[in-house]
Amino acid sequence: MTEAIRRQSGELEGAVLTALWAAGRPLTESEVRRSLPGGPARTTIATILSRLHDKGTVRRTRQGRGFAYSPAVEDSSALTAHRMHTELDRGEDRSGTLARFISRLSSDDEQLVRALLEPPAGRDQR
């Protein structure tokens, strides 16, 4: 498989998630397909939805003979966090992985992480 095909697949996954987020309700495979530009093949959309379901980023519920799909993550930030957790869970050395990740943060990102980890002022710190 070439890099261009993999990148295209990732872009299509993103487009499918964007369509599901925009809909605000579960969509069937055909509804997802109709919402995407370029008219991707039915089998392509079925494959993408199946992969997203396997990754835990979409939920599916039985609707007639098929399924309706809804996002399991709220937005693109939640999707990125989900991917980061998935990668972290795959590793054998969680502490080492986190240490290497943190050591490569920019100073701005390091300050942001520190701020996110600090308890809010005025909150009981027991």
Side-chain angles (χ1 to χ4, degrees), residues 95-117:
S95 176
T97 301
L98 285 170
R100 287 181 186 255
F101 177 77
I102 291 169
S103 72
R104 297 190 65 176
L105 291 175
S106 69
S107 59
D108 289 344
D109 286 342
E110 183 180 342
Q111 288 176 353
L112 177 58
V113 168
R114 287 182 190 282
L116 291 169
L117 292 174

Side-chain angles (χ1 to χ4, degrees), residues 3-64:
E3 184 69 26
I5 291 171
R6 271 185 253 135
R7 186 172 50 251
Q8 181 182 11
S9 176
E11 290 171 7
L12 190 50
E13 284 184 4
V16 167
L17 281 167
T18 299
L20 292 171
W21 287 323
R25 66 176 179 82
L27 297 178
T28 64
E29 181 183 296
S30 62
E31 290 172 322
V32 169
R33 188 170 161 250
R34 284 193 303 267
S35 71
L36 299 175
R42 183 195 64 75
T43 55
T44 300
I45 297 305
T47 299
I48 295 295
L49 286 167
S50 178
R51 287 181 182 165
L52 289 171
H53 179 260
D54 291 345
K55 292 176 183 180
T57 55
V58 299
R59 295 182 192 96
R60 66 182 180 196
T61 54
R62 183 61 75 179
Q63 185 168 330

Side-chain angles (χ1 to χ4, degrees), residues 61-82:
T61 54
R62 183 61 75 179
Q63 185 168 330
R65 295 188 310 180
F67 293 101
Y69 295 85
S70 58
V73 292
E74 308 82 50
D75 54 28
S76 62
S77 294
L79 176 61
T80 300
H82 176 82

